[in-house]
């Protein structure tokens, strides 16, 4: 399929090339990889120079400046020539990145010594069996045997291909084995690329080669399986191998460059098939995939001989000239170098390398860094999870809204991918889910919840994917989806859906077992009622304190769990429930004295108006006799009070005026009637009302609460 050629300038880039970077290249120049040499958060770079100069190490300083520190931090680079590839990976599992140098006549590993100098020193070196037949060409870094240490597949033009197995002792050394299962087209292996294109958790490889024979190999449990893909790239065609989810369907396509075209192949589940030829105007040296304009459509960033840098837009399918005025581009290394959310580009060029800073300033982006913990919980050692990938889904987790992007250990023209994965076309106003497939742990892909918010960088660790401070191995032993939201506990930042992050509910130190407040064998992060007080954590102001106000009531049965005396009557809520009074009513029996005054001062029954003569204004001045409190006639006056008044304890209306003695202002005067009685002592109110205590319901709850308490 021929794609239209346009000359629209890409106005988003400015040339910010530092003087230390702008040396002229040579015809087989390759390799330019980003690394954070000293883990200071700024991206440094290792790149190739002229044929007789060797690689250079440039460290980023304040104000986006770069200083060439090759002579002090990588002096052995100055003796290297004939560079074919520069790769970056933590081969020693100490958290510091190493540099791999591939030349026609040698392969070397330069180990990062760490603080204070972060000096690179060669610890492993090997020469090809027959350099006269073109020697080494390319490499792919990946964990070939699943032991957590990164290995290297090294391509050799003369003999075949070598698998360098990491000694797994932190030395940076390897055992070198000819990989007979990786026999490419004839004897001329060239640049290579690696990706897990079939999604089985193993990195597969494509190797450029000439002549008849396979060029693509699937990694299987039994080694490698050759595929029917033969592209016949001669030694003179120094193109690239890269992978890109160009149609955003969640599957990587193979992109193979030739001098005059890009070839795109789709994976059917069994083989690579189909070819789309995007014919360019001039020679094509290399191509890599990146979303340059943050529209969510991956672009092919193409470097061409005798051609200015350009890209193929995933949206329009048109070639767009970057309009930067540089010719003879060799390769491109895209990445957000300045951390502003736009993809920048390091371009290697015959005429001199260029650093192109993207000025797009488009907020539709999300960046992800995948880190493998190759240490322990209490002593973590983090390295980039080469081979891991991510893809963005909608809030339901069912519809993919972005392409799949993968952290590469070998792509383009002798380089590794940028350590931070970039996604464009992200709507910051919407919730999303991020699907993650980590390479280091071999687990199935999982999803993480991403609430709406501004563009940001998300760091995902293999040992704690949801970032709650609890090791995923511990969370995997808990109920796996207690809130039923489809997110498993190791990948759910709020596993029980109570609105309290697991990072808060875990309690204690990050590596300690999560706290189980109520001792029910369910840690708080998967327990919706952590303190077992009957009040869900989602509405519990003190979810780890069963009696937050210390009033003797569980919060779940406390009318006001934040106030020990909800009605301010002088009795705690717990005391009121035990006594049968209403904890929300200061004068339960309505007699004019608070419940607290009756209990603590009067020593009367706050639920029985007949027991408090002093709170009835009719009987002001009468003292409680302390005799047995019996009211035989049920008139509201106890028998001992009637003895003092002279009324008949067996006649509820001694004077026969129709008013009970307990409510009659003059119970011995039959003519008094109920005229003039104040409302608080009228029939049916106050002392004359023989009703069940308002707090009787609370009494039942109190008994339940007291049974459940653990104190």
């Amino acid at each position: 399929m021929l794609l239209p050629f346009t000359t629209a300038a890409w106005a988003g880039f400015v040339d910010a090339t530092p003087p230390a970077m702008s040396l002229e290249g040579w015809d087989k120049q390759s390799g330019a990889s980003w690394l954070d040499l000293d883990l200071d958060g700024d991206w440094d770079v290792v790149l190739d120079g002229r044929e007789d100069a060797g690689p250079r190490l440039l460290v980023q300083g304040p104000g986006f400046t770069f200083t060439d520190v090759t002579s002090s931090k990588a002096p052995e680079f100055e003796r290297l020539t004939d560079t074919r590839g520069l790769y970056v990976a933590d081969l020693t599992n100490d958290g510091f990145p190493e540099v791999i140098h591939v030349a026609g006549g040698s392969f070397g590993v330069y180990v990062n010594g760490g603080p204070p100098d972060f000096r690179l020193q060669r610890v492993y070196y090997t020469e090809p069996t027959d350099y006269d037949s073109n020697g080494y060409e390319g490499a792919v870094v990946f964990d070939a045997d699943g032991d957590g240490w990164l290995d290297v597949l090294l391509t050799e033009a003369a003999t075949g291909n070598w698998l360098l197995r990491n000694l797994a002792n932190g030395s940076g050394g390897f055992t070198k084995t000819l990989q007979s299962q990786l026999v490419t087209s004839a004897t001329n292996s060239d640049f290579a690329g690696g990706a897990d294109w079939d999604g089985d958790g193993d990195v597969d490889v494509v190797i450029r080669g000439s002549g008849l024979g396979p060029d693509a190999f699937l990694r299987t449990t039994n080694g490698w399986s050759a595929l029917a893909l033969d592209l016949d790239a001669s030694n003179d065609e120094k193109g690239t191998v890269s992978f890109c989810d160009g149609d955003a369907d969640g599957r990587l396509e193979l992109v193979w460059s030739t001098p005059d075209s890009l070839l795109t192949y789709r994976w059917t589940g069994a083989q690579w098939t189909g070819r789309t030829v995007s014919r360019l105007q001039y020679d094509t040296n290399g191509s890599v995939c990146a979303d340059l304009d943050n529209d969510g459509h991956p672009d092919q960033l193409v470097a061409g001989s005798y051609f200015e840098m350009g890209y193929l837009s995933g949206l329009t399918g048109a070639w767009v000239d970057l309009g930067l005025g540089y010719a003879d581009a060799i390769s491109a290394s895209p990445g957000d170098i300045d951390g502003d959310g736009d993809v920048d580009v390091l371009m290697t060029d015959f005429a001199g390398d260029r650093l192109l800073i993207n000025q797009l300033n488009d907020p539709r982006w999300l960046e992800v860094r995948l880190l493998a913990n190759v240490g322990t919980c209490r002593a973590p050692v983090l390295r980039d999870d080469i081979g891991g990938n991510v893809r963005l889904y909608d809030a339901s987790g069912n519809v993919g809204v972005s392409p799949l992007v993968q952290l590469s250990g070998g792509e383009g023209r002798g380089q590794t991918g940028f350590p931070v994965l970039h996604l464009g076309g992200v709507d910051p106003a919407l919730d999303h889910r991020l699907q993650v497939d980590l390479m280091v742990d071999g687990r199935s892909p999982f999803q993480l919840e991403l609430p709406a918010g501004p563009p940001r960088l998300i760091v995902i660790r293999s040992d704690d994917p949801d970032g709650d401070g609890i090791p995923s191995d511990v969370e995997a032993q808990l109920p796996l989806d207690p809130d039923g939201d489809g997110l498993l506990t190791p990948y759910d930042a709020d596993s029980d859906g109570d609105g309290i992050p697991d990072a808060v509910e875990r309690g204690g130190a990050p590596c300690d077992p999560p706290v189980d407040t109520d001792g029910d064998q369910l840690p708080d992060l998967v327990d919706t009622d952590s303190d077992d007080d009957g009040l869900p954590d989602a509405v519990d102001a003190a979810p780890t304190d069963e009696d937050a106000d210390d009033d003797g009531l569980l919060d779940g049965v406390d009318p006001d769990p934040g106030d020990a005396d909800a009605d301010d009557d002088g009795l705690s809520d717990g005391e009121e429930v035990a006594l049968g009074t209403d904890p929300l009513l200061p004068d339960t029996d309505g007699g004019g004295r608070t419940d607290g005054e009756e209990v603590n001062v009067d020593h009367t029954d706050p639920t029985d108006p007949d027991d408090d003569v002093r709170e009835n204004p009719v009987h002001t001045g009468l003292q409680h006799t302390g005799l047995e409190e019996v009211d035989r006639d049920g008139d509201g006056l106890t028998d001992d009070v009637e003895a003092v008044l002279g009324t008949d304890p067996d006649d509820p209306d001694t004077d026969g005026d129709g008013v009970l003695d307990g409510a009659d202002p003059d119970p011995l005067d039959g003519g008094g009637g109920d005229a003039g009685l104040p409302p608080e002592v009228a029939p049916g109110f106050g002392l004359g009302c023989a009703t069940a205590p308002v707090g009787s319901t609370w009494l039942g709850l109190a008994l339940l609460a007291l049974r459940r308490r653990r104190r």
Side-chain angles (χ1 to χ4, degrees):
M1 180 180 68
L2 285 176
L3 296 180
F5 174 76
T6 68
T7 57
W10 176 260
F13 286 104
V14 297
D15 190 338
T17 307
M21 193 177 288
S22 56
L23 295 179
E24 293 182 2
W26 63 294
D27 62 348
K28 290 188 177 181
Q29 177 190 22
S30 58
S33 292
W34 292 97
L35 73 161
D36 186 357
L37 181 74
D38 51 6
L39 305 188
D40 65 351
D42 293 324
W43 294 109
D44 314 308
V45 63
V46 58
L47 70 166
D48 186 41
R50 293 167 293 180
E51 182 174 7
D52 58 350
R56 289 169 295 136
L57 177 64
L58 276 60
V59 172
Q60 186 180 163
F64 205 58
T65 59
F66 288 84
T67 303
D68 191 333
V69 297
T70 306
S71 61
S72 61
K73 295 189 181 298
E76 292 172 292
F77 282 5
E78 297 179 345
R79 299 195 298 270
L80 298 175
T81 60
D82 194 22
T83 299
R84 302 300 174 88
L86 286 164
Y87 304 84
V88 171
D90 180 6
L91 302 173
T92 56
N93 279 3
D94 61 358
F96 300 106
E98 273 73 56
V99 174
I100 298 171
H101 179 260
V102 179
S106 67
F107 171 91
V109 174
Y110 296 81
V111 167
N112 189 335
D117 298 326
F118 301 98
R119 183 184 173 98
L120 297 176
Q121 182 176 1
R122 189 170 73 191
V123 299
Y124 183 81
Y125 180 82
T126 181
E127 295 181 353
T129 56
D130 185 3
Y131 176 59
D132 292 335
S133 297
N134 298 316
Y136 297 138
E137 291 284 358
V140 177
V141 182
F142 64 108
D143 183 2
D145 49 14
D147 64 352
W149 297 77
L150 293 172
D151 311 299
V152 179
L153 174 68
L154 178 62
T155 64
E156 184 180 345
T159 305
N161 303 294
W162 300 89
L163 183 60
L164 305 181
R165 290 189 181 274
N166 199 314
L167 292 179
N169 58 9
S171 68
F174 294 87
T175 58
K176 180 183 175 186
T177 305
L178 185 63
Q179 184 54 256
S180 59
Q181 291 180 308
L182 289 175
V183 179
T184 59
S185 306
T187 59
N188 186 22
S189 294
D190 205 329
F191 288 119
D196 179 18
W197 65 67
D198 60 351
D200 67 350
D202 294 315
V203 172
D204 314 301
V205 297
V206 171
I207 306 172
R208 296 175 68 89
S210 63
L212 297 177
D215 294 312
F217 302 85
L218 272 178
R219 182 67 177 171
T220 68
T221 55
N222 297 319
W224 299 94
S225 175
L227 302 177
L229 181 70
D230 185 7
L231 299 180
D232 297 334
S234 72
N235 185 54
D236 295 329
E237 296 179 359
K238 295 298 182 184
T240 60
V241 177
S242 62
F243 299 89
C244 182
D245 183 6
D247 54 5
D249 67 348
R251 295 181 296 176
L252 296 172
E253 291 94 40
L254 166 64
V255 181
W256 178 286
S257 67
T258 70
D260 60 357
S261 64
L262 294 179
L263 312 180
T264 302
Y265 295 83
R266 296 181 181 276
W267 177 248
T268 65
Q271 62 182 349
W272 292 107
T273 184
R275 174 182 296 187
T276 299
V277 180
S278 306
R279 187 173 183 82
L280 308 181
Q281 297 296 306
Y282 299 97
D283 290 349
T284 301
N285 281 322
S287 175
V288 289
C289 184
D291 184 359
L292 298 178
D293 48 10
N294 280 357
D295 65 353
H297 300 275
D299 309 309
Q300 280 298 321
L301 185 59
V302 182
S305 297
Y306 314 109
F307 202 154
E308 297 176 347
M309 188 68 120
Y311 77 99
L312 286 171
S313 169
L315 180 62
T316 65
W319 171 261
V320 180
D321 187 348
L322 292 183
L324 297 170
Y326 306 117
D328 301 341
I330 299 172
S331 68
S333 299
D336 183 9
I337 302 160
D338 55 3
D340 65 353
D342 302 326
V343 176
D344 311 303
V345 178
L346 172 62
M347 176 182 69
T348 60
D349 193 287
F350 291 136
D353 302 329
R354 293 290 182 267
L355 180 59
L356 311 175
I357 300 301
N358 196 332
Q359 301 293 303
L360 186 64
N361 196 28
D362 188 320
R364 298 173 300 165
W365 60 270
L366 182 73
E367 292 183 339
V368 182
R369 191 164 189 188
L370 301 177
L371 297 176
N373 182 10
V374 292
T376 64
C377 181
R378 298 186 187 280
V381 177
L382 304 176
R383 66 163 172 80
D384 292 307
D385 186 39
I386 290 177
N389 61 68
V390 300
R391 189 186 185 204
L392 202 64
Y393 281 72
D394 67 0
S396 72
N398 297 316
V399 180
V401 296
S402 84
L404 182 145
V405 291
Q406 185 162 300
L407 183 59
S408 176
E411 65 174 358
R413 189 155 174 167
Q415 63 204 35
T416 41
F418 195 70
V420 176
L421 300 174
H422 178 271
L423 293 169
V426 180
D427 189 339
L430 299 179
D431 294 337
H432 292 90
R433 289 194 179 186
L434 186 69
Q435 181 156 305
V436 182
D437 188 2
L438 294 170
M439 189 62 59
V440 71
D441 61 1
R443 296 179 183 174
S444 299
F446 57 86
Q447 291 190 351
L448 300 174
E449 201 166 33
L450 292 182
R456 57 202 183 273
L457 168 66
I458 298 172
V459 179
I460 299 173
R461 287 175 42 163
S462 64
D463 59 333
D464 182 17
D466 56 5
D468 60 7
I470 306 169
S472 55
D473 290 342
V474 172
E475 291 192 279
Q477 308 304 314
L478 303 175
L480 286 182
D481 188 11
D483 58 0
D485 63 356
L487 297 175
L488 300 183
T489 300
Y491 317 117
D492 192 343
D494 180 11
S495 299
D496 55 10
D498 61 2
I500 306 173
D502 292 350
V504 175
E505 291 196 282
R506 74 184 185 202
C511 298
D512 292 340
V515 167
D516 179 11
T517 297
D518 56 12
D520 62 355
Q521 306 305 309
L522 285 179
D524 294 358
L525 67 130
V526 291
D527 190 343
T528 56
D529 184 6
S530 298
D531 53 10
D532 199 25
D533 61 0
L535 192 63
D537 292 346
V539 296
D540 194 339
T544 60
D545 188 346
E546 61 186 7
D547 182 8
D549 55 11
D550 294 321
D551 62 0
L553 290 181
L554 294 176
D555 294 341
V557 297
D558 195 328
D560 187 351
D563 188 344
D565 182 5
D567 57 7
D568 295 321
D569 63 358
L571 296 178
S572 72
D573 297 341
E575 291 173 325
E576 296 216 47
V577 169
L579 290 170
T581 56
D582 189 335
L584 296 176
L585 188 64
D587 181 10
T588 299
D589 59 13
R593 297 280 285 174
T594 66
D595 298 339
E597 290 173 332
E598 287 204 57
V599 171
N600 298 319
V601 179
D602 303 340
H603 305 294
T604 55
D605 184 352
T607 66
D608 186 356
D610 292 344
D611 189 35
D612 189 358
V613 296
R614 291 184 300 164
E615 66 182 355
N616 188 334
V618 175
H619 306 301
T620 299
L622 295 179
Q623 299 296 318
H624 191 276
T625 64
L627 301 177
E628 183 179 4
E629 298 175 0
V630 177
D631 181 8
R632 295 200 302 269
D633 58 5
D635 61 359
L637 296 177
T638 61
D639 293 353
D640 58 340
V641 171
E642 295 210 0
V644 174
L645 294 175
T647 55
D648 186 351
D650 295 311
D651 186 352
D653 182 11
T654 300
D655 60 4
D657 62 356
V659 179
L660 294 178
D661 293 345
D664 197 334
D666 190 350
L668 297 176
D669 182 3
D674 60 359
L677 286 178
E680 62 267 24
V681 294
F685 292 89
L687 295 176
C689 180
T691 60
V694 175
S696 60
T697 300
W698 289 104
L699 180 59
L701 291 173
L703 294 175
L704 173 62
L706 291 173
R707 283 198 300 268
R708 297 179 65 189
R709 290 183 58 81
R710 291 172 175 73
R711 296 183 177 178

